[in-house]
């Protein structure tokens, strides 16, 4: 096995190990401190960051099929957290965007979840905090670059205007 392949395998193993830990912390904070499911907050977050998305774009973010997204979005519309927008040049294209209430709910949940993570980090010594800051910053930067490449190839996402 080449050195590059070994590095790729180690990165994949690390990311696979990290994800459940972060997801468990996130899910616990969401379920215990808000009335929303993680899928709802992921949807609100994607819309917050992108401005508006098609149903397929939301499905790509959540990595779920479009029929599941339809059920989720219909509930969010009923709760007045998102709204449908029709493309002016092609009425067949429907975007979903946050309402003001949806934006407020997302920002409040983000605060709650952030506090949960911060509370868990308090017990680490300063050296561990510095290492985690450097590592998490690097991981975030690389993953954002990967996602940009993926979404550049996918015209279902719309950048925030």
């Amino acid at each position: 096995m080449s050195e590059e392949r070994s590095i790729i395998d180690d990165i994949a193993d690390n990311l696979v190990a990290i994800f459940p830990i972060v997801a468990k912390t996130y899910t616990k904070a969401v379920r215990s401190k808000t009335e929303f499911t993680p899928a709802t907050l992921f949807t609100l977050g994607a819309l917050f960051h992108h401005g508006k998305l098609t149903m397929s774009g939301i499905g790509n973010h959540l990595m779920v099929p479009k029929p599941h997204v339809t059920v989720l979005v219909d509930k969010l519309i009923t709760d007045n957290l998102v709204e449908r927008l029709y493309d002016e040049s092609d009425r067949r294209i429907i975007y979903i965007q946050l309402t003001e209430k949806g934006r407020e709910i997302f920002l409040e949940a983000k605060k709650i979840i952030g506090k949960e993570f911060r509370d868990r980090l308090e017990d680490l010594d300063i050296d561990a905090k510095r290492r985690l800051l450097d590592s998490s910053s690097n991981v975030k930067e690389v993953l954002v670059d990967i996602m940009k490449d993926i979404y550049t190839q996918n015209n279902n996402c719309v950048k925030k205007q």
Side-chain angles (χ1 to χ4, degrees), residues 36-52:
F36 300 103
T37 65
T40 297
L41 291 177
F42 279 130
T43 302
L44 296 177
L47 293 168
F48 180 82
H49 292 291
H50 288 279
K52 62 183 179 179

Side-chain angles (χ1 to χ4, degrees), residues 125-135:
D125 66 59
I126 190 66
D127 289 333
K129 288 175 185 167
R130 285 188 183 116
R131 285 194 318 273
L132 188 55
L133 173 61
D134 289 343
S135 299

